[in-house]
Amino acid sequence: MKKFDKERVLLAVAGPVIALAVAFVLIAIVLVASGKNPFEPFALMFEQLGFSDIQVLIINQASMYYIAALAVAIGFRMNLFNIGVDGQYQLAAMMAAIVGAHASMPAAIQVPLLLLTAVLTGAFWAGIAGVLKVTRGVSEVVATIMLNAIATSVISYLWLPDVFGVKVGNNNTTGEMHESGWIPGIGMGAAGEIYGLVLLAVLLGIGYWVVLNRTRFGFDLRASGASTTAAAASGVDPKRMVLTAMLISGGLAGLAGLPILLGDTHTYSLNFPTGIGFLGIGIALLGRNSPVGIAFAALLWAWLDKASPELDFHGYDKEIAVIMQGLIVLSVVVSYEAVREWGLRRQQRRVGAELAAGHVLGTTTHNATKEVAGR
């Protein structure tokens, strides 16, 4: 491996490693300050990895985190901050649940219909922010935050009994979906089932890498994110790329809730997971927008979620995991900036050394030429 490639790998790995190390140290300091053992909580959570049922829960949760983080990463690659993934995936999951409860077709048609419903709903909701940005210059951050709030209101309206809501006790639901829209899981015996759409998350990760790194569209997307003026000079329409990136990001976000919807709950209710879109931001940051890095970050986040309840039985607050997640996000921002500055300094020193070497070689050659000419 070339020296330059080694440095790139080192820079890519250094950020996440430093962020995790800093987060663990800070949470240990918090535990010590509160009079608790700084190592036991981590030991207890690591022990949970040995239980097969916890492993299944981690994989299932990570699949939703992974898809949401991919949706965020698409925006990041275009230098866009799609903070509306949470509203996009919740609204998409509800629309898929409504279609699944009111349409009954063979599974070969029903399942693709539900997937398409979720993708189109998420893309439409994100597309609103994209249109506002390219036509009126509205920041996608502001637009998507507002759209999150609007999505919550739309969901509350759709839950009304006179619309699509079905009351089950005190719970608002969309009614149970027809079985033809259920996706069977991968049986793991007494440990439970791995969601069938975990495989979809894997395929999306592969597709994400192929599109960004092996297609002209991916190059245009990355070029536009790096410099819109340079991309425009090469014939790329920046506004079209912004809108396209938002549509793709929203479409991916729409799929984030489907692993649990089609594999477990089979209805959209008050108990449906929320906040996955916001967690996807931290996961995408930690994974550095790489499909492999995001996968490890999603598994880490899911482990913190599913292993932390054990802490309650040993005198520790399970919110330690939430604090850890927040500290990781903060550490990621700081460590990545520090690594970036370190990388720039190394590059500057290397360029300076090469220029100096070139100057010395040029001077030597010039002197030798003069000597030959003098003879």
Side-chain angles (χ1 to χ4, degrees):
M1 184 181 291
K2 297 179 180 179
K3 182 178 180 181
F4 179 69
D5 293 333
K6 289 181 179 179
E7 287 190 2
R8 288 184 61 185
V9 172
L10 178 62
L11 291 174
V13 174
V17 171
I18 293 174
L20 291 175
V22 171
F24 274 93
V25 170
L26 290 176
I27 196 67
I29 293 174
V30 171
L31 288 169
V32 170
S34 59
K36 300 291 183 66
N37 187 319
F39 304 109
E40 188 178 16
F42 300 119
L44 292 171
M45 288 195 291
F46 275 114
E47 285 178 5
Q48 299 305 300
L49 288 174
F51 299 105
S52 57
D53 58 334
I54 298 296
Q55 294 169 3
V56 169
L57 291 174
I58 289 173
I59 292 173
N60 287 340
Q61 190 76 8
S63 66
M64 296 188 291
Y65 288 165
Y66 186 71
I67 298 173
L70 285 180
V72 175
I74 284 287
F76 282 162
R77 286 301 186 110
M78 185 60 202
N79 204 23
L80 296 171
F81 195 3
N82 181 10
I83 205 171
V85 169
D86 206 65
Q88 292 153 20
Y89 97 83
Q90 289 190 58
L91 190 59
M94 184 173 211
M95 293 305 298
I98 290 172
V99 172
H102 291 82
S104 179
M105 291 178 284
I109 300 176
Q110 184 85 341
V111 171
L113 175 64
L114 299 179
L115 294 174
L116 184 61
T117 299
V119 169
L120 292 179
T121 302
F124 169 75
W125 209 245
I128 297 173
V131 170
L132 289 173
K133 184 173 182 65
V134 299
T135 60
R136 313 301 298 177
V138 178
S139 168
E140 75 279 4
V141 175
V142 175
T144 50
I145 288 176
M146 295 297 101
L147 285 167
N148 279 342
I150 296 172
T152 301
S153 299
V154 172
I155 289 171
S156 298
Y157 170 75
L158 295 175
W159 260 331
L160 294 175
D162 294 337
V163 188
F164 294 107
V166 177
K167 274 284 187 179
V168 178
N170 294 325
N171 196 3
N172 294 327
T173 78
T174 54
E176 189 172 67
M177 301 167 62
H178 292 284
E179 289 192 24
S180 59
W182 299 9
I183 294 183
I186 304 170
M188 302 300 292
E193 284 189 345
I194 294 176
Y195 296 150
L197 285 185
V198 166
L199 298 178
L200 175 63
V202 175
L203 292 176
L204 289 175
I206 295 173
Y208 170 86
W209 183 86
V210 171
V211 169
L212 283 182
N213 297 282
R214 292 293 183 268
T215 67
R216 174 58 188 269
F217 171 78
F219 174 79
D220 290 345
L221 186 74
R222 289 182 284 113
S224 300
S227 173
T228 55
T229 54
S234 64
V236 178
D237 185 350
K239 290 186 177 181
R240 180 177 61 84
M241 293 305 299
V242 166
L243 182 57
T244 303
M246 288 300 294
L247 289 173
I248 295 175
S249 179
L252 283 175
L255 295 171
L258 293 199
I260 190 172
L261 177 67
L262 304 187
D264 184 17
T265 65
H266 308 304
T267 187
Y268 187 89
S269 68
L270 290 171
N271 299 325
F272 200 80
T274 59
I276 292 176
F278 295 113
L279 294 176
I281 297 172
I283 294 170
L285 285 172
L286 182 60
R288 301 204 68 171
N289 301 323
S290 160
V292 176
I294 291 173
F296 282 112
L299 288 169
L300 171 64
W301 240 258
W303 166 65
L304 290 171
D305 281 345
K306 299 305 178 182
S308 58
E310 179 67 18
L311 299 178
D312 280 339
F313 301 103
H314 298 271
Y316 295 94
D317 297 322
K318 65 180 181 180
E319 284 73 22
I320 288 173
V322 180
I323 297 174
M324 171 68 77
Q325 291 171 347
L327 289 175
I328 288 174
V329 173
L330 292 175
S331 302
V332 160
V333 176
V334 176
S335 64
Y336 282 3
E337 183 62 23
V339 169
R340 188 183 71 84
E341 291 293 333
W342 177 68
L344 286 175
R345 286 197 297 270
R346 283 183 60 86
Q347 186 178 19
Q348 290 168 353
R349 285 198 296 268
R350 184 170 61 250
V351 171
E354 290 175 355
L355 289 174
H359 175 70
V360 171
L361 178 61
T363 302
T364 304
T365 303
H366 177 68
N367 292 337
T369 302
K370 286 176 63 179
E371 182 178 349
V372 171
R375 291 176 183 176

